[in-house]
Amino acid sequence: MFKYVGNQLQCEGIPLSAIQKEVGTPTYVYSAGLIRQMMSAYQVADPNAVFAYALKANQNIEILKLIREAGFGADVTSGGELFLALEAGFDPEKIIFSGVGKRDDEILMAFNAGISAIHVESPAEMYVIEKLAAERGLRAKVGMRLNPNVDAETHPYISTGLLENKFGVPIDAGIKLIKYAAESPHLTPTGVAMHIGSQIREISSFVEAANLVTDVAVELKSAGIELNYIDLGGGLGINYQRGESNSAEQIEAIQNWVTQVGEPARDAGFVVKAEPGRSVVGAAGALLSQITFSKNNGAKNFLIADAGMNDLIRPPLYSAHHPILPLSLARGGQSGPRSTVDVVGPICESSDFLAKNIQLPNMQRGDLIAVMNAGAYSFAMSSNYNGRLRPAEVLVDGDSWRVIRPRQQYADLL
Ligand code: LLP
C-alpha cells in the first residue's frame, strides 16, 4: 500500500506529493486498504473471536468508523476513549474498558453505556465497582485482568505482564477475586484477560501467558464458575525495519498469532477475545515532512525537518526505529550517492530527532520525506510542545483521499 511507482512514493493510488501540495506538512497519511487487510487477517484466523481494537493506538474518528464497519469492537482506556467509541458507533456489547486507574465518573459512564465488560485490575477497583453498582441497584459485568508474570522481552516502557509492572492482578489473587464476584449480587464475572506488553514479535511469551490464563478459566469452571471468554490482549508487533509496506508478511504474523495464542482457549471451549492496536494500524500510516534546512557542523550532517518530537515521539521515547523514505527518487534515485545523517526536528532539545545516523540520498531544503510505520501511537501521542500545531491527518482509500483531521491553527493554542 506504500510503495514507489516510478520515482514517486505512493499510498495506494495516490502519490504522496499530491497530498503534500494541497495539505502541506507535517501531515499523517493513512491507508484504508491496509487497515482493512489487517482486520480481515484477524477475522479470517478465528471467525468466532471478538476483536476489540485498542483505541489508544489511533483514535481519529474516521479511522474508528472504518474499524467499526469491519465488525470490530473497541478496547477503551478512559472516559474520552469510551466517548469516541460510542461516537464512532461501536456496539456497546463489543466495548471493553481496560486500565489501572478508572475514576468513579468513568465507571459510571461505562454502566450507562451498557458496555460488555469492565476489566478490573485490582481488588480495590473491584470493590468500588461493586459499591457503585449496588448504589444504583445494578449488576456490573466485570472481567479480570490477570498479570501472568511473563517476560515479553520488549522495551521496558511497554512491557506490562511482569509483577514489577503496575498492571493486572497476580493469578492467585485473581482467582479469589473472580470467586468473590461470582458470589456478589452486584457483579457478574464475564471472562479473564491478559495483556503482556506491546511491540512483541516473538510468539512464545504470548503462548506461555495464554496457557496460564486459560488454566485459570478451566479451574474456575470446575469450581462451578462459567466464564464466557478469554481475552488475549494486544501486543503483536510490526516490522519497523521495513519502509515500503508488505501486507503479506504482516497478515501471516497476525494469523499465526491468532492461531497459536488462541489455541489453549479454543481447546478449552472458550470464546477468544483480543485487543489489537498497533498490528491493525501501525504499518498503515506515514508522516510526511519537508526538509527546512540541511546543516553540517563539521562533525555531523543534519537534515532539519518540519516534523519533530511533538508530532512523533516514538524515536526518542522508546529508541524506536522508523524508516525514512524520500517522496521522490528523481534526484539520485535509489542507487545514487548517499550520506549519513541525523533527521531532526525544529524543537529546542536534543531528544528531538526522527532518526539518527541513517543513510539517505543527498537531500536539501524543500525536499520531502515520509516517516514510515507511523499509524500507531504516533498522532495519538502528539502534543503542542513548543507551540507547534498538531499535524493534519489524511485517509487514502484506493484512488481517492480526504482530510480526516484538519491541521490545527494558531487560535487552537489559546
Ligand atoms: N490492550 C491493553 C490493555 C493495552 O494496554 C494495549 C496497549 C493494547 C491492548 C494494545 O496493544 P498493541 O496491540 O497496540 O500492542 N505507546 C507505546 C505503546 C503502548 C501500548 C499500551 N498498551 C508505543 O508507541 O510503542
Side-chain angles (χ1 to χ4, degrees):
M1 297 291 177
F2 286 96
K3 61 174 190 305
Y4 285 101
V5 177
N7 277 334
Q8 292 287 317
L9 186 59
Q10 288 200 182
C11 176
E12 304 198 23
I14 308 290
L16 291 174
S17 56
I19 295 172
Q20 178 270 335
K21 274 195 196 89
E22 281 191 46
V23 186
T25 49
T27 295
Y28 278 99
V29 177
Y30 306 109
S31 157
L34 191 60
I35 297 173
R36 288 197 199 98
Q37 284 182 348
M38 298 307 129
M39 290 191 288
S40 131
Y42 273 103
Q43 291 167 324
V44 167
D46 184 349
N48 299 318
V50 177
F51 297 107
Y53 167 69
L55 261 74
K56 55 176 78 74
N58 185 322
Q59 41 192 236
N60 184 291
I61 189 75
E62 297 303 319
I63 293 198
L64 297 183
K65 287 181 188 162
L66 181 87
I67 290 173
R68 186 258 298 153
E69 277 161 16
F72 265 50
D75 170 49
V76 304
T77 198
S78 65
E81 286 194 352
L82 178 52
F83 165 79
L84 285 169
L86 295 171
E87 280 290 303
F90 282 98
D91 178 358
E93 278 298 319
K94 289 188 188 170
I95 300 179
I96 301 163
F97 190 177
S98 309
V100 290
K102 305 174 194 81
R103 284 196 316 253
D104 291 12
D105 61 299
E106 293 174 310
I107 293 169
L108 294 177
M109 195 176 162
F111 288 174
N112 289 338
I115 69 168
S116 76
I118 301 178
H119 282 180
V120 174
E121 303 218 18
S122 62
E125 182 189 348
M126 181 82 94
Y127 305 139
V128 166
I129 294 173
E130 183 184 37
K131 177 171 161 283
L132 293 174
E135 285 166 3
R136 285 157 188 81
L138 299 172
R139 228 186 148 99
K141 289 186 267 181
V142 287
M144 190 79 236
R145 173 156 170 197
L146 299 167
N147 183 326
N149 197 24
V150 162
D151 189 354
E153 284 166 30
T154 183
H155 191 283
Y157 291 179
I158 53 177
S159 166
T160 52
L162 284 169
L163 289 180
E164 69 191 55
N165 306 129
K166 67 182 173 181
F167 299 97
V169 177
I171 297 228
D172 289 344
I175 294 175
K176 286 199 192 109
L177 268 181
I178 297 167
K179 288 183 174 162
Y180 173 85
E183 296 291 313
S184 165
H186 297 293
L187 297 171
T188 303
T190 55
V192 279
M194 65 185 229
H195 174 73
I196 58 172
S198 197
Q199 184 52 23
I200 305 165
R201 300 198 72 216
E202 176 55 53
I203 209 116
S204 56
S205 40
F206 284 119
V207 172
E208 188 187 339
N211 274 306
L212 288 167
V213 167
T214 303
D215 287 348
V216 169
V218 170
E219 184 182 326
L220 288 164
K221 197 173 185 174
S222 60
I225 300 172
E226 294 270 352
L227 299 176
N228 301 329
Y229 62 84
I230 294 178
D231 180 342
L232 307 172
L236 175 65
I238 63 172
N239 183 353
Y240 278 105
Q241 300 308 315
R242 186 177 282 285
E244 291 178 88
S245 49
N246 179 342
S247 313
E249 177 191 56
Q250 185 64 13
I251 288 169
E252 195 186 320
I254 290 173
Q255 298 196 327
N256 203 17
W257 188 88
V258 176
T259 307
Q260 291 193 45
V261 185
E263 187 175 87
R266 278 188 299 270
D267 284 355
F270 293 98
V271 169
V272 167
K273 283 195 185 185
E275 306 162 1
R278 188 191 318 265
S279 53
V280 176
V281 293
L287 171 60
L288 307 190
S289 179
Q290 186 162 44
I291 302 302
T292 311
F293 298 110
S294 146
K295 173 171 177 177
N296 178 308
N297 64 4
K300 284 201 94 152
N301 295 312
F302 297 97
L303 285 176
I304 302 171
D306 68 356
M309 66 186 286
N310 74 296
D311 304 297
L312 178 66
I313 202 173
R314 300 197 70 261
L317 188 54
Y318 312 112
S319 306
H321 170 74
H322 286 260
I324 295 186
L325 301 179
L327 252 54
S328 165
L329 296 174
R331 186 155 18 85
Q334 255 160 336
S335 54
R338 301 192 141 228
S339 36
T340 303
V341 294
D342 282 8
V343 182
V344 300
I347 287 173
C348 54
E349 57 178 281
S350 296
S351 61
D352 180 30
F353 59 88
L354 297 169
K356 280 194 165 178
N357 295 317
I358 59 162
Q359 295 273 313
L360 275 180
N362 294 331
M363 300 191 89
Q364 58 192 37
R365 176 174 169 79
D367 284 347
L368 297 162
I369 55 171
V371 187
M372 305 308 293
N373 297 314
Y377 306 110
S378 298
F379 184 94
M381 296 177 80
S382 66
S383 75
N384 289 115
Y385 186 40
N386 271 214
R388 287 172 46 77
L389 305 178
R390 298 242 211 156
E393 292 181 291
V394 163
L395 185 65
V396 176
D397 196 352
D399 291 330
S400 66
W401 63 273
R402 65 200 164 101
V403 174
I404 55 171
R405 188 191 311 262
R407 184 178 314 289
Q408 280 188 326
Q409 303 193 348
Y410 288 134
D412 295 319
L413 297 178
L414 296 176

